[in-house]
Each structure stands twice: as structure tokens, then as C-alpha cells.
Amino acid sequence: MKNFVPILFIFLFANILHAQNRFKVGLKVGISTSQVHGDTYEGFHKFGFDGGATLNAKINEKWKAQFEILFVQKGSKFIGDANKGDLRFYLMQLNYIEVPILFQYEHKKFVLEIGPGVGYLINSKEYDQNGEVINGIPFYPMEVSGSIGISYKIYKNLGINWRFTNSILPIREFASGASTVSNPGQRNNVLAFALIYTFGNATTK
């Protein structure tokens, strides 16, 4: 539960700012589906939690800026096909506190968003068919990412959000040690689906 203390703190702080009409506070909860580019296992097969608090600032009638603090579970997963003699198994579990800063454009019930983010790695674990991987390649403690997404207002203050997030800088080196300027190491790829509830008076748009 201590991992959620920063989320609770920012939510309480944001409520103070919410007294101004320019700011709106929200809560976000959903799931993440992820893979890791460069780990040789393809597919968004690793499911996890994605949620936290949001603070939205109105710039003008169409543009907004949104600050979030989220707990996001990332990583990758692979299960071989025993019927084909493939007994391989792999699981990478990465837990992050992530802070995206998004620029949003609103059109009727749709909101388009794009922006950078910084993540702090809380913990990491890896498993294969032999059990936990103890001496694996270490992960970097910080992640720099970019996100693009779209939201749709379902009803009054409730909306649904889809977002793709990709590491800009690597999360660790390749197992082979090989790297290039354009491909320096493994990176997180995350698709997230979430419900967002915004506190305050709902707009009529």
C-alpha cells in the first residue's frame, strides 16, 4: 500500500487547486497490456493495473494540459506451446510510478492527447521456465516515455481513455550487449485502457 502514498498525496493537493475553476481533479483506473521491444518475445500479452490521479488545467476553449501521477504495471509475458514441444516460459514484471504531462485537444465528446512522461521503477522481477531469474540484466531506475491517446466522454463526468506509451530512452541494455544510436536497448511498449472520472460540474459539450 505504501506505493500508493504519492498518488494519495497528489490527489489531496490537487483538490486544493480544484477550488479554482481553471483546474479539475480526476481519478483514473484501468488495465495495461504491454510488451518489451528487444526481449525477443512479441505481443501485448502482459496484463496489469493502470491507475491514479489526474489534474487538468484549461488553457482555452479547445486546449488543456493534464498532469497525472499513476501506478502502472508493465513488462512482457510468453507461454510456449507444449503440444508443439515448446516448453519455454518468460515473465517480466515491472512496476512504475509514472508522471505523464499531456497536451489535450477537445472536439465535442472526443479528446486527443500527446505528451512526454517520466517513470520511476519501484521494483522488477523476471521468471523463466526454471524459476526466478536472479542475476538478470539490471533495469535503469528511471524511464522517459512518450504517449499518444484519445478519450471519449461516456456520460457527464465519466470518460474512457485509450493510450499508447513507448519508452524514448531504453529501460535496460539488450541481452546481447549490442546497441545502436537508433536502437540502444530494450523499451517498454504499453497499451492502456481506462475509465476517468472528473470531479466538478460536467460541461454540456
Side-chain angles (χ1 to χ4, degrees), residues 152-175:
Y152 177 78
K153 185 180 295 183
I154 301 173
Y155 179 73
K156 292 185 178 180
N157 294 26
L158 184 65
I160 187 169
N161 175 258
W162 170 90
R163 183 180 298 170
F164 174 71
T165 302
N166 186 71
S167 300
I168 297 174
L169 300 179
I171 60 172
R172 69 173 180 179
E173 297 180 352
F174 290 121

PDB file of all heavy atoms in Angstrom, residues 152-175:
ATOM      1  N   TYR A 152     -13.002   9.473 -24.829  1.00  0.00           N
ATOM      2  CA  TYR A 152     -14.383   9.703 -25.264  1.00  0.00           C
ATOM      3  C   TYR A 152     -15.258   9.844 -24.031  1.00  0.00           C
ATOM      4  O   TYR A 152     -15.206   9.020 -23.109  1.00  0.00           O
ATOM      5  CB  TYR A 152     -14.888   8.542 -26.118  1.00  0.00           C
ATOM      6  CG  TYR A 152     -16.332   8.690 -26.546  1.00  0.00           C
ATOM      7  CD1 TYR A 152     -16.679   9.541 -27.598  1.00  0.00           C
ATOM      8  CD2 TYR A 152     -17.347   7.984 -25.897  1.00  0.00           C
ATOM      9  CE1 TYR A 152     -18.001   9.682 -27.998  1.00  0.00           C
ATOM     10  CE2 TYR A 152     -18.673   8.119 -26.280  1.00  0.00           C
ATOM     11  CZ  TYR A 152     -18.989   8.968 -27.335  1.00  0.00           C
ATOM     12  OH  TYR A 152     -20.303   9.110 -27.715  1.00  0.00           O
ATOM     13  N   LYS A 153     -16.051  10.928 -23.990  1.00  0.00           N
ATOM     14  CA  LYS A 153     -16.922  11.171 -22.856  1.00  0.00           C
ATOM     15  C   LYS A 153     -18.159  10.274 -22.965  1.00  0.00           C
ATOM     16  O   LYS A 153     -18.955  10.381 -23.894  1.00  0.00           O
ATOM     17  CB  LYS A 153     -17.355  12.632 -22.802  1.00  0.00           C
ATOM     18  CG  LYS A 153     -18.167  12.979 -21.564  1.00  0.00           C
ATOM     19  CD  LYS A 153     -18.568  14.437 -21.560  1.00  0.00           C
ATOM     20  CE  LYS A 153     -17.356  15.339 -21.461  1.00  0.00           C
ATOM     21  NZ  LYS A 153     -17.755  16.770 -21.378  1.00  0.00           N
ATOM     22  N   ILE A 154     -18.308   9.363 -22.006  1.00  0.00           N
ATOM     23  CA  ILE A 154     -19.439   8.436 -21.999  1.00  0.00           C
ATOM     24  C   ILE A 154     -20.685   9.106 -21.445  1.00  0.00           C
ATOM     25  O   ILE A 154     -21.762   9.059 -22.056  1.00  0.00           O
ATOM     26  CB  ILE A 154     -19.108   7.188 -21.150  1.00  0.00           C
ATOM     27  CG1 ILE A 154     -17.870   6.469 -21.707  1.00  0.00           C
ATOM     28  CG2 ILE A 154     -20.294   6.227 -21.130  1.00  0.00           C
ATOM     29  CD1 ILE A 154     -17.399   5.341 -20.821  1.00  0.00           C
ATOM     30  N   TYR A 155     -20.518   9.750 -20.285  1.00  0.00           N
ATOM     31  CA  TYR A 155     -21.685  10.358 -19.630  1.00  0.00           C
ATOM     32  C   TYR A 155     -21.211  11.396 -18.624  1.00  0.00           C
ATOM     33  O   TYR A 155     -20.491  11.060 -17.674  1.00  0.00           O
ATOM     34  CB  TYR A 155     -22.516   9.284 -18.923  1.00  0.00           C
ATOM     35  CG  TYR A 155     -23.721   9.814 -18.195  1.00  0.00           C
ATOM     36  CD1 TYR A 155     -24.858  10.254 -18.880  1.00  0.00           C
ATOM     37  CD2 TYR A 155     -23.729   9.895 -16.807  1.00  0.00           C
ATOM     38  CE1 TYR A 155     -25.956  10.752 -18.212  1.00  0.00           C
ATOM     39  CE2 TYR A 155     -24.830  10.386 -16.119  1.00  0.00           C
ATOM     40  CZ  TYR A 155     -25.945  10.815 -16.833  1.00  0.00           C
ATOM     41  OH  TYR A 155     -27.027  11.312 -16.163  1.00  0.00           O
ATOM     42  N   LYS A 156     -21.573  12.640 -18.841  1.00  0.00           N
ATOM     43  CA  LYS A 156     -21.242  13.743 -17.924  1.00  0.00           C
ATOM     44  C   LYS A 156     -19.748  13.727 -17.569  1.00  0.00           C
ATOM     45  O   LYS A 156     -18.914  13.984 -18.422  1.00  0.00           O
ATOM     46  CB  LYS A 156     -22.129  13.683 -16.685  1.00  0.00           C
ATOM     47  CG  LYS A 156     -23.596  13.988 -16.986  1.00  0.00           C
ATOM     48  CD  LYS A 156     -24.427  14.034 -15.720  1.00  0.00           C
ATOM     49  CE  LYS A 156     -25.876  14.392 -16.047  1.00  0.00           C
ATOM     50  NZ  LYS A 156     -26.725  14.441 -14.838  1.00  0.00           N
ATOM     51  N   ASN A 157     -19.419  13.379 -16.328  1.00  0.00           N
ATOM     52  CA  ASN A 157     -18.026  13.447 -15.873  1.00  0.00           C
ATOM     53  C   ASN A 157     -17.236  12.162 -16.123  1.00  0.00           C
ATOM     54  O   ASN A 157     -16.079  12.065 -15.719  1.00  0.00           O
ATOM     55  CB  ASN A 157     -17.988  13.747 -14.371  1.00  0.00           C
ATOM     56  CG  ASN A 157     -18.520  15.121 -14.054  1.00  0.00           C
ATOM     57  OD1 ASN A 157     -19.331  15.674 -14.792  1.00  0.00           O
ATOM     58  ND2 ASN A 157     -18.061  15.698 -12.964  1.00  0.00           N
ATOM     59  N   LEU A 158     -17.833  11.181 -16.751  1.00  0.00           N
ATOM     60  CA  LEU A 158     -17.195   9.876 -16.940  1.00  0.00           C
ATOM     61  C   LEU A 158     -16.752   9.694 -18.380  1.00  0.00           C
ATOM     62  O   LEU A 158     -17.521   9.919 -19.323  1.00  0.00           O
ATOM     63  CB  LEU A 158     -18.164   8.759 -16.551  1.00  0.00           C
ATOM     64  CG  LEU A 158     -17.619   7.329 -16.609  1.00  0.00           C
ATOM     65  CD1 LEU A 158     -16.492   7.142 -15.575  1.00  0.00           C
ATOM     66  CD2 LEU A 158     -18.737   6.321 -16.362  1.00  0.00           C
ATOM     67  N   GLY A 159     -15.491   9.290 -18.546  1.00  0.00           N
ATOM     68  CA  GLY A 159     -14.962   9.055 -19.879  1.00  0.00           C
ATOM     69  C   GLY A 159     -14.127   7.795 -19.939  1.00  0.00           C
ATOM     70  O   GLY A 159     -13.748   7.220 -18.905  1.00  0.00           O
ATOM     71  N   ILE A 160     -13.842   7.350 -21.158  1.00  0.00           N
ATOM     72  CA  ILE A 160     -12.990   6.198 -21.382  1.00  0.00           C
ATOM     73  C   ILE A 160     -11.779   6.652 -22.173  1.00  0.00           C
ATOM     74  O   ILE A 160     -11.887   7.489 -23.071  1.00  0.00           O
ATOM     75  CB  ILE A 160     -13.747   5.060 -22.112  1.00  0.00           C
ATOM     76  CG1 ILE A 160     -12.884   3.803 -22.179  1.00  0.00           C
ATOM     77  CG2 ILE A 160     -14.233   5.498 -23.484  1.00  0.00           C
ATOM     78  CD1 ILE A 160     -13.636   2.580 -22.640  1.00  0.00           C
ATOM     79  N   ASN A 161     -10.614   6.135 -21.823  1.00  0.00           N
ATOM     80  CA  ASN A 161      -9.362   6.582 -22.420  1.00  0.00           C
ATOM     81  C   ASN A 161      -8.570   5.402 -22.972  1.00  0.00           C
ATOM     82  O   ASN A 161      -8.475   4.354 -22.342  1.00  0.00           O
ATOM     83  CB  ASN A 161      -8.523   7.329 -21.372  1.00  0.00           C
ATOM     84  CG  ASN A 161      -7.149   7.714 -21.872  1.00  0.00           C
ATOM     85  OD1 ASN A 161      -6.151   7.057 -21.546  1.00  0.00           O
ATOM     86  ND2 ASN A 161      -7.078   8.776 -22.647  1.00  0.00           N
ATOM     87  N   TRP A 162      -8.043   5.585 -24.177  1.00  0.00           N
ATOM     88  CA  TRP A 162      -7.096   4.638 -24.770  1.00  0.00           C
ATOM     89  C   TRP A 162      -5.779   5.366 -24.961  1.00  0.00           C
ATOM     90  O   TRP A 162      -5.759   6.509 -25.421  1.00  0.00           O
ATOM     91  CB  TRP A 162      -7.598   4.135 -26.118  1.00  0.00           C
ATOM     92  CG  TRP A 162      -6.559   3.347 -26.878  1.00  0.00           C
ATOM     93  CD1 TRP A 162      -6.344   2.006 -26.820  1.00  0.00           C
ATOM     94  CD2 TRP A 162      -5.589   3.860 -27.803  1.00  0.00           C
ATOM     95  NE1 TRP A 162      -5.301   1.651 -27.635  1.00  0.00           N
ATOM     96  CE2 TRP A 162      -4.818   2.772 -28.252  1.00  0.00           C
ATOM     97  CE3 TRP A 162      -5.290   5.145 -28.282  1.00  0.00           C
ATOM     98  CZ2 TRP A 162      -3.771   2.911 -29.158  1.00  0.00           C
ATOM     99  CZ3 TRP A 162      -4.243   5.298 -29.179  1.00  0.00           C
ATOM    100  CH2 TRP A 162      -3.510   4.188 -29.614  1.00  0.00           C
ATOM    101  N   ARG A 163      -4.662   4.739 -24.608  1.00  0.00           N
ATOM    102  CA  ARG A 163      -3.364   5.407 -24.697  1.00  0.00           C
ATOM    103  C   ARG A 163      -2.268   4.411 -25.055  1.00  0.00           C
ATOM    104  O   ARG A 163      -2.232   3.293 -24.535  1.00  0.00           O
ATOM    105  CB  ARG A 163      -3.036   6.085 -23.372  1.00  0.00           C
ATOM    106  CG  ARG A 163      -1.726   6.887 -23.381  1.00  0.00           C
ATOM    107  CD  ARG A 163      -1.489   7.526 -22.024  1.00  0.00           C
ATOM    108  NE  ARG A 163      -2.542   8.473 -21.687  1.00  0.00           N
ATOM    109  CZ  ARG A 163      -2.693   9.023 -20.492  1.00  0.00           C
ATOM    110  NH1 ARG A 163      -1.850   8.707 -19.525  1.00  0.00           N
ATOM    111  NH2 ARG A 163      -3.679   9.873 -20.256  1.00  0.00           N
ATOM    112  N   PHE A 164      -1.361   4.840 -25.940  1.00  0.00           N
ATOM    113  CA  PHE A 164      -0.163   4.074 -26.264  1.00  0.00           C
ATOM    114  C   PHE A 164       1.035   4.837 -25.726  1.00  0.00           C
ATOM    115  O   PHE A 164       1.195   6.028 -25.982  1.00  0.00           O
ATOM    116  CB  PHE A 164      -0.016   3.879 -27.767  1.00  0.00           C
ATOM    117  CG  PHE A 164       1.289   3.221 -28.157  1.00  0.00           C
ATOM    118  CD1 PHE A 164       1.508   1.884 -27.875  1.00  0.00           C
ATOM    119  CD2 PHE A 164       2.291   3.947 -28.781  1.00  0.00           C
ATOM    120  CE1 PHE A 164       2.710   1.272 -28.208  1.00  0.00           C
ATOM    121  CE2 PHE A 164       3.493   3.351 -29.124  1.00  0.00           C
ATOM    122  CZ  PHE A 164       3.700   2.008 -28.839  1.00  0.00           C
ATOM    123  N   THR A 165       1.870   4.134 -24.957  1.00  0.00           N
ATOM    124  CA  THR A 165       3.068   4.736 -24.373  1.00  0.00           C
ATOM    125  C   THR A 165       4.286   3.926 -24.782  1.00  0.00           C
ATOM    126  O   THR A 165       4.278   2.694 -24.702  1.00  0.00           O
ATOM    127  CB  THR A 165       2.971   4.779 -22.839  1.00  0.00           C
ATOM    128  OG1 THR A 165       1.815   5.526 -22.460  1.00  0.00           O
ATOM    129  CG2 THR A 165       4.201   5.436 -22.237  1.00  0.00           C
ATOM    130  N   ASN A 166       5.323   4.625 -25.208  1.00  0.00           N
ATOM    131  CA  ASN A 166       6.547   3.969 -25.667  1.00  0.00           C
ATOM    132  C   ASN A 166       7.754   4.620 -24.992  1.00  0.00           C
ATOM    133  O   ASN A 166       7.827   5.850 -24.878  1.00  0.00           O
ATOM    134  CB  ASN A 166       6.667   4.095 -27.187  1.00  0.00           C
ATOM    135  CG  ASN A 166       7.853   3.311 -27.731  1.00  0.00           C
ATOM    136  OD1 ASN A 166       7.832   2.094 -27.757  1.00  0.00           O
ATOM    137  ND2 ASN A 166       8.885   4.009 -28.161  1.00  0.00           N
ATOM    138  N   SER A 167       8.705   3.813 -24.547  1.00  0.00           N
ATOM    139  CA  SER A 167       9.927   4.358 -23.957  1.00  0.00           C
ATOM    140  C   SER A 167      10.708   5.135 -25.009  1.00  0.00           C
ATOM    141  O   SER A 167      10.932   4.646 -26.118  1.00  0.00           O
ATOM    142  CB  SER A 167      10.809   3.234 -23.409  1.00  0.00           C
ATOM    143  OG  SER A 167      10.151   2.478 -22.420  1.00  0.00           O
ATOM    144  N   ILE A 168      11.129   6.337 -24.665  1.00  0.00           N
ATOM    145  CA  ILE A 168      12.003   7.114 -25.533  1.00  0.00           C
ATOM    146  C   ILE A 168      13.453   6.696 -25.311  1.00  0.00           C
ATOM    147  O   ILE A 168      14.222   6.513 -26.260  1.00  0.00           O
ATOM    148  CB  ILE A 168      11.823   8.618 -25.271  1.00  0.00           C
ATOM    149  CG1 ILE A 168      10.387   9.038 -25.617  1.00  0.00           C
ATOM    150  CG2 ILE A 168      12.828   9.439 -26.078  1.00  0.00           C
ATOM    151  CD1 ILE A 168      10.076  10.476 -25.261  1.00  0.00           C
ATOM    152  N   LEU A 169      13.824   6.542 -24.049  1.00  0.00           N
ATOM    153  CA  LEU A 169      15.135   6.014 -23.686  1.00  0.00           C
ATOM    154  C   LEU A 169      14.988   4.561 -23.241  1.00  0.00           C
ATOM    155  O   LEU A 169      13.935   4.167 -22.738  1.00  0.00           O
ATOM    156  CB  LEU A 169      15.746   6.850 -22.563  1.00  0.00           C
ATOM    157  CG  LEU A 169      15.964   8.340 -22.877  1.00  0.00           C
ATOM    158  CD1 LEU A 169      16.548   9.051 -21.666  1.00  0.00           C
ATOM    159  CD2 LEU A 169      16.862   8.517 -24.086  1.00  0.00           C
ATOM    160  N   PRO A 170      16.027   3.726 -23.405  1.00  0.00           N
ATOM    161  CA  PRO A 170      15.912   2.301 -23.050  1.00  0.00           C
ATOM    162  C   PRO A 170      15.721   2.095 -21.559  1.00  0.00           C
ATOM    163  O   PRO A 170      16.163   2.897 -20.734  1.00  0.00           O
ATOM    164  CB  PRO A 170      17.236   1.708 -23.536  1.00  0.00           C
ATOM    165  CG  PRO A 170      18.186   2.859 -23.551  1.00  0.00           C
ATOM    166  CD  PRO A 170      17.364   4.051 -23.956  1.00  0.00           C
ATOM    167  N   ILE A 171      15.057   0.981 -21.218  1.00  0.00           N
ATOM    168  CA  ILE A 171      14.861   0.629 -19.812  1.00  0.00           C
ATOM    169  C   ILE A 171      16.003  -0.242 -19.288  1.00  0.00           C
ATOM    170  O   ILE A 171      16.201  -0.362 -18.084  1.00  0.00           O
ATOM    171  CB  ILE A 171      13.509  -0.074 -19.594  1.00  0.00           C
ATOM    172  CG1 ILE A 171      13.412  -1.365 -20.421  1.00  0.00           C
ATOM    173  CG2 ILE A 171      12.365   0.869 -19.945  1.00  0.00           C
ATOM    174  CD1 ILE A 171      12.197  -2.213 -20.110  1.00  0.00           C
ATOM    175  N   ARG A 172      16.748  -0.875 -20.215  1.00  0.00           N
ATOM    176  CA  ARG A 172      17.969  -1.601 -19.887  1.00  0.00           C
ATOM    177  C   ARG A 172      18.654  -2.007 -21.188  1.00  0.00           C
ATOM    178  O   ARG A 172      18.093  -1.856 -22.269  1.00  0.00           O
ATOM    179  CB  ARG A 172      17.696  -2.835 -19.023  1.00  0.00           C
ATOM    180  CG  ARG A 172      16.975  -3.966 -19.719  1.00  0.00           C
ATOM    181  CD  ARG A 172      16.911  -5.184 -18.817  1.00  0.00           C
ATOM    182  NE  ARG A 172      16.217  -6.307 -19.452  1.00  0.00           N
ATOM    183  CZ  ARG A 172      16.037  -7.496 -18.872  1.00  0.00           C
ATOM    184  NH1 ARG A 172      16.501  -7.709 -17.650  1.00  0.00           N
ATOM    185  NH2 ARG A 172      15.396  -8.459 -19.494  1.00  0.00           N
ATOM    186  N   GLU A 173      19.852  -2.541 -21.089  1.00  0.00           N
ATOM    187  CA  GLU A 173      20.598  -2.969 -22.259  1.00  0.00           C
ATOM    188  C   GLU A 173      20.010  -4.249 -22.854  1.00  0.00           C
ATOM    189  O   GLU A 173      19.283  -4.995 -22.181  1.00  0.00           O
ATOM    190  CB  GLU A 173      22.059  -3.223 -21.899  1.00  0.00           C
ATOM    191  CG  GLU A 173      22.818  -2.002 -21.426  1.00  0.00           C
ATOM    192  CD  GLU A 173      24.255  -2.325 -21.086  1.00  0.00           C
ATOM    193  OE1 GLU A 173      24.611  -3.519 -21.082  1.00  0.00           O
ATOM    194  OE2 GLU A 173      25.036  -1.387 -20.824  1.00  0.00           O
ATOM    195  N   PHE A 174      20.329  -4.513 -24.122  1.00  0.00           N
ATOM    196  CA  PHE A 174      19.984  -5.787 -24.735  1.00  0.00           C
ATOM    197  C   PHE A 174      20.776  -6.905 -24.069  1.00  0.00           C
ATOM    198  O   PHE A 174      21.888  -6.693 -23.569  1.00  0.00           O
ATOM    199  CB  PHE A 174      20.299  -5.788 -26.233  1.00  0.00           C
ATOM    200  CG  PHE A 174      19.393  -4.908 -27.045  1.00  0.00           C
ATOM    201  CD1 PHE A 174      19.915  -3.868 -27.797  1.00  0.00           C
ATOM    202  CD2 PHE A 174      18.030  -5.129 -27.087  1.00  0.00           C
ATOM    203  CE1 PHE A 174      19.087  -3.057 -28.561  1.00  0.00           C
ATOM    204  CE2 PHE A 174      17.193  -4.322 -27.842  1.00  0.00           C
ATOM    205  CZ  PHE A 174      17.723  -3.288 -28.579  1.00  0.00           C
ATOM    206  N   ALA A 175      20.221  -8.125 -24.090  1.00  0.00           N
ATOM    207  CA  ALA A 175      20.921  -9.279 -23.520  1.00  0.00           C
ATOM    208  C   ALA A 175      22.236  -9.545 -24.241  1.00  0.00           C
ATOM    209  O   ALA A 175      23.219  -9.981 -23.638  1.00  0.00           O
ATOM    210  CB  ALA A 175      20.024 -10.512 -23.581  1.00  0.00           C
TER     211      ALA A 175
END
